[in-house]
Amino acid sequence: MSLSEAEKRAKRCCFTGHRPEKLGIPETIIYEKLSDAIDLARSRGIVTFICGMARGFDLWAGSAVLQKKEIDPKIKLICATPFTGFENRWNSHWQELYAHIASHADYKVAISHSYDPGCFQRRNEWMVNHSGLVIAAYNGEPGGTKNTILYAGRCGVPVHNILDLAT
């Protein structure tokens, strides 16, 4: 018997967060908070994680999920990109991390074959539409992360912001 989409969604989580230069917080601190948030999601039955594959928080999230997957093979990783080849202009460090995560994903989807003005927002909406939880690194600034969090709110998908002081 296969699960309904609602049942699958309840077991999925996606990530949204700023690029490193916008976060202004060391990667080690973000990574620690991210690891704790993933563990909390797992304790609540989430086994599939959707990574948007952008520089910074997304790739750190994908890397953290792969580390957890080494310990628990039930964990699945979905890579959702806004368009094919969007990582091509990054420096080699980010391209290598992207390639490593993508090569270990259980499923990959590109929302568009090439760049268009709405492809990032469509990718973010796709991730939220397939998730029961959003783990975010949001510092209050405008941009794609804020738009994703607002969209999740409109869809009734809870958001766990690892930058909230209460977490």
Side-chain angles (χ1 to χ4, degrees):
M1 182 168 105
S2 65
L3 297 175
S4 71
E5 183 55 34
E7 290 169 319
K8 289 178 189 176
R9 187 176 180 175
K11 295 183 179 292
R12 289 190 210 122
C13 170
C14 68
F15 302 98
T16 188
H18 300 297
R19 305 296 186 274
E21 57 274 10
K22 198 170 180 181
L23 274 171
I25 297 170
E27 177 182 348
T28 54
I29 293 172
I30 294 292
Y31 203 87
E32 183 179 310
K33 291 175 174 278
L34 184 53
S35 182
D36 291 345
I38 292 168
D39 287 342
L40 181 61
R42 288 176 58 217
S43 75
R44 295 177 178 169
I46 291 176
V47 294
T48 302
F49 296 86
I50 305 172
C51 176
M53 300 298 285
R55 283 184 315 105
F57 184 73
D58 287 4
L59 290 180
W60 296 333
S63 182
V65 169
L66 290 181
Q67 284 188 337
K68 306 285 185 187
K69 188 175 172 149
E70 287 178 12
I71 299 163
D72 183 356
K74 292 184 301 251
I75 292 174
K76 303 294 181 214
L77 177 64
I78 298 172
C79 295
T81 60
F83 62 94
T84 305
F86 94 113
E87 78 287 2
N88 289 343
R89 294 186 175 161
W90 299 346
N91 70 36
S92 61
H93 163 76
W94 290 112
Q95 285 189 3
E96 289 167 13
L97 184 55
Y98 176 99
H100 173 75
I101 294 166
S103 71
H104 290 87
D106 296 284
Y107 182 75
K108 292 176 257 192
V109 59
I111 300 306
S112 182
H113 293 293
S114 59
Y115 173 80
D116 69 75
C119 66
F120 284 88
Q121 184 62 28
R122 287 195 312 277
R123 185 268 321 265
N124 295 342
E125 291 175 4
W126 185 91
M127 293 191 310
V128 170
N129 291 342
H130 289 85
S131 297
L133 174 68
V134 176
I135 295 175
Y138 175 58
N139 62 11
E141 292 187 28
T145 299
K146 180 179 182 177
N147 294 344
T148 304
I149 289 170
L150 292 173
Y151 181 76
R154 290 192 302 272
C155 294
V157 177
V159 175
H160 175 117
N161 183 7
I162 66 167
L163 301 185
D164 281 347
L165 296 175
T167 59

